[in-house]
Amino acid sequence: MLTSTQEWFKRTFVDVFRQLRWAFLPPLMVYFAAGISGVTAIVGTFFVKEYLGLSAAFLAALTFWAGLPWALKMPLGHLVDLVWRWKALLVYLGAALIAASLGIMYALIMHTEAMRQLLSVEAWFVVSSLLAPAGYVVQDTVADAMTVEAVPRVHSDGKPLAEEETKALHTTMQTLGRIALIGGLVFVALLNIVMFSGVESLEQSQKADVYARIYLMALAIPLVSVSGMVLSQSMLAARARQLREQGVKADEVDRLVYSPGQSTEPDYWIFGGGAAFVVLTLAIGISDIPLAQEIVFCGSMAITSVLIYQLVQKVPRAKARALIGTALIIFVFRAAPLPGAGATWFMIDQLHFDQQFLSVLSLIASCLTLIGMVLLRPLMASRSIAYIVVLLTLASGVLALPNIGLYYGIQNWTARLTGGVVDAHFIAIIETTLESPLGQVAMIPLLTWIARNAPADLKATFFAVMASFTNMALTASSLLTKYLNQIFVVTREVKDHATDTVQTPADYSQLGWLLITVTLIGVLMPLLTVLLVQRSRLQTHD
């Protein structure tokens, strides 16, 4: 019994870190930078609530537009393949965009009047909200391709790795990528707990100082990703120097160190599709036509689908069908709507969750997500994506019940029975504890599948196009979230800071039906999709 337990512990916890290689570190640093970007999430929530009179539906629409840069992973991924030796410049560009976004938010809090003379506070917030994802998508595209390259294809003696071993290594690489990302969230959750200590008793101006300091500290985010790229360049330079010292010719050193396994030819379908996406988005975005978001989404989906069709011609037919089926399952799973900002407003206003407690929830969620990913890694390496999605869908449906219960006052009943122990804060912690690993775990099998099956000369392109398709699911989720928030209208109290008069009263009367509807759709959509895909020619067993 002890031996089997030791073997399980070794296989689950030890092996994942034993397989860690120095080559994994640069992309992991870029992922870690994306993780610590969460340092501004809680600040942003309270800034919007306290300073801006934006509705939940508008914020859902802004999430839609902010998510569109991720669709540009298609041309960006192909660009990375074409300029692989100079990919560091793209990471530096992304860092500059992220720094600009953070700088705007810092100035907006500390120098509000000066910023207002140029643009409205709401307009500045929108600009900042669009710049940050543009920077992160550029960096993420490079990091994704680097994870494919980081996994070896042969043993040290030159013999090819077995398929099972390759799958395990790719699963480990993608798991470590998620661990780096969630590790960043753990770090910032701890930082937020310290920064928000006692903030609920501060005056509004003192709160603003705390918010501004957090945005100022967040400028370390682009420094981390840039450091990862500098480390990568240093490692490549050291490898090149070693080869030259061994007598390898300069041209051969250049090919072995700085060039991909095979030369990449420009695919004008991908660049044309990317250009069409940009033109469509800008033309619709700056116009005032009805259903602008829906038109952009449908156009983007059409462009992405054409590019996927062109891409899958480069892989065997059986793998192409499995890939399409896998992508459809993940797409629908990720496209499930969310409650939107109204649920967080309810927690703040009615359940009295303050900044520090939300930081505690974030810390718990991040830590348990790390543990969950490590625990479930053997399952992800051995089970099909369809199986995992069904499992996660059922789990997420069950775990949504405590959140619904909090709206209907279950905490009042449980607190009476337990002498005040099981109150709203306790239920929120338990719900967060159980639900936290689900979102990140869902993406690891797909990332692993893409990494394993990407052609050597199109690693970034193949990865980016399929990732763009699944990222479009988040855009669909934002649209569905907006529709539901238009049907079930939730408002928080908005006051004029100058006169302290109420401009918009709080109304959470429809939040219960919103939460129930979101849960039902989130369970039924993925289950029906898995059923249909697995009964078609697109079924996947990988």
Side-chain angles (χ1 to χ4, degrees):
M1 178 65 181
L2 183 61
T3 302
S4 61
T5 302
Q6 290 174 336
E7 285 296 322
W8 172 84
F9 182 85
K10 178 182 176 182
R11 186 174 62 253
T12 303
F13 290 99
V14 177
D15 284 353
V16 65
F17 295 104
R18 180 179 292 172
Q19 294 173 5
L20 179 64
R21 302 163 187 265
W22 278 108
F24 292 1
L25 193 55
L28 293 182
M29 291 181 69
V30 179
Y31 286 137
F32 182 75
I36 60 177
S37 68
V39 71
T40 61
I42 294 176
V43 174
T45 297
F46 279 85
F47 178 80
V48 169
K49 185 179 181 298
E50 295 170 1
Y51 287 85
L52 306 180
L54 303 176
S55 67
F58 179 87
L59 292 172
L62 179 59
T63 303
F64 169 86
W65 292 110
L68 285 180
W70 291 95
L72 286 174
K73 287 191 74 170
M74 297 178 291
L76 282 174
H78 195 48
L79 180 63
V80 169
D81 278 329
L82 292 172
V83 297
W84 185 248
R85 181 167 183 170
W86 313 107
K87 60 185 178 294
L89 297 178
L90 294 176
V91 174
Y92 303 152
L93 172 62
L97 294 173
I98 295 167
S101 172
L102 296 170
I104 287 173
M105 291 304 297
Y106 173 79
L108 204 54
I109 295 173
M110 294 302 293
H111 308 287
T112 308
E113 291 305 318
M115 296 290 282
R116 187 179 280 127
Q117 291 178 5
L118 300 174
L119 288 173
S120 68
V121 174
E122 288 78 8
W124 278 119
F125 177 74
V126 169
V127 171
S128 176
S129 299
L130 296 177
L131 282 176
Y136 287 120
V137 71
V138 171
Q139 296 193 341
D140 188 72
T141 302
V142 178
D144 284 346
M146 291 171 70
T147 64
V148 179
E149 184 186 51
V151 174
R153 298 176 182 271
V154 296
H155 291 286
S156 56
D157 59 3
K159 294 182 180 179
L161 293 173
E163 186 171 347
E164 295 79 9
E165 192 173 359
T166 300
K167 180 177 180 179
L169 277 174
H170 277 298
T171 301
T172 298
M173 177 70 252
Q174 299 305 327
T175 301
L176 289 172
R178 300 307 101 182
I179 287 175
L181 193 151
I182 303 302
L185 293 177
V186 171
F187 173 79
V188 301
L190 288 168
L191 179 63
N192 277 332
I193 290 174
V194 175
M195 293 297 297
F196 286 131
S197 178
V199 75
E200 69 277 359
S201 61
L202 298 179
E203 297 293 331
Q204 192 62 44
S205 60
Q206 294 173 312
K207 289 182 181 179
D209 290 338
V210 174
Y211 296 167
R213 283 201 301 273
I214 291 175
Y215 275 108
L216 198 59
M217 287 188 295
L219 288 172
I221 295 170
L223 292 179
V224 173
S225 56
V226 167
S227 299
M229 210 63 237
V230 170
L231 175 62
S232 174
Q233 296 299 301
S234 300
M235 293 170 67
L236 291 175
R239 173 62 176 158
R241 184 169 57 253
Q242 182 183 31
L243 290 174
R244 284 194 295 269
E245 291 174 352
Q246 294 173 357
V248 180
K249 294 182 179 180
D251 291 345
E252 185 67 8
V253 169
D254 187 80
R255 186 188 68 81
L256 291 173
V257 176
Y258 295 108
S259 301
Q262 302 175 29
S263 62
T264 304
E265 296 296 327
D267 189 328
Y268 296 105
W269 274 98
I270 292 176
F271 283 130
F277 170 79
V278 172
V279 170
L280 175 67
T281 303
L282 292 178
I284 301 298
I286 63 178
S287 66
D288 196 24
I289 65 174
L291 303 177
Q293 295 173 24
E294 288 77 5
I295 294 173
V296 169
F297 175 74
C298 292
S300 302
M301 283 297 296
I303 293 169
T304 305
S305 299
V306 170
L307 294 179
I308 289 176
Y309 175 78
Q310 294 294 323
L311 192 66
V312 297
Q313 306 304 311
K314 305 178 187 297
V315 297
R317 185 178 294 260
K319 283 190 174 183
R321 288 175 177 171
L323 175 59
I324 293 173
T326 299
L328 285 174
I329 290 173
I330 297 296
F331 180 92
V332 175
F333 179 79
R334 302 190 82 193
L338 301 173
T344 304
W345 297 340
F346 177 81
M347 292 180 183
I348 296 170
D349 288 342
Q350 303 298 314
L351 302 180
H352 308 295
F353 292 178
D354 59 19
Q355 293 94 327
Q356 189 176 37
F357 182 70
L358 290 178
S359 299
V360 171
L361 289 181
S362 176
L363 175 62
I364 293 171
S366 300
C367 290
L368 290 169
T369 299
L370 286 175
I371 296 172
M373 286 191 297
V374 176
L375 283 174
L376 295 175
R377 187 180 66 92
L379 177 70
M380 291 183 287
S382 60
R383 293 286 188 171
S384 70
I385 293 178
Y387 177 92
I388 294 171
V389 167
V390 169
L391 183 66
L392 295 176
T393 298
L394 294 175
S396 62
V398 172
L399 297 176
L401 297 179
N403 206 27
I404 297 173
L406 283 175
Y407 174 78
Y408 287 104
I410 190 176
Q411 67 275 13
N412 300 324
W413 177 68
T414 56
R416 283 197 305 270
L417 291 178
T418 61
V421 175
V422 185
D423 60 0
H425 290 73
F426 185 92
I427 294 174
I429 289 175
I430 296 300
E431 190 265 345
T432 300
T433 298
L434 295 174
E435 187 181 23
S436 54
L438 300 183
Q440 289 296 329
V441 168
M443 279 304 296
I444 294 176
L446 178 63
L447 295 173
T448 302
W449 199 102
I450 295 173
R452 287 172 51 218
N453 292 280
D457 60 327
L458 291 171
K459 52 184 175 299
T461 305
F462 202 92
F463 206 110
V465 170
M466 296 311 302
S468 294
F469 179 71
T470 55
N471 283 330
M472 285 296 295
L474 300 181
T475 305
S477 175
S478 299
L479 278 177
L480 293 175
T481 300
K482 183 190 75 169
Y483 297 150
L484 292 178
N485 275 271
Q486 290 173 340
I487 297 171
F488 305 103
V489 179
V490 178
T491 60
R492 87 286 195 191
E493 185 179 89
V494 178
K495 288 185 177 181
D496 186 301
H497 285 280
T499 63
D500 203 37
T501 57
V502 177
Q503 296 177 320
T504 305
D507 182 4
Y508 296 106
S509 59
Q510 298 188 60
L511 180 60
W513 282 111
L514 173 62
L515 294 173
I516 293 171
T517 304
V518 165
T519 301
L520 289 175
I521 294 176
V523 171
L524 294 177
M525 278 176 44
L527 293 182
L528 289 175
T529 302
V530 171
L531 180 64
L532 293 174
V533 168
Q534 293 301 89
R535 291 189 173 186
S536 71
R537 293 188 301 170
L538 303 178
Q539 62 180 298
T540 174
H541 301 289
D542 205 346

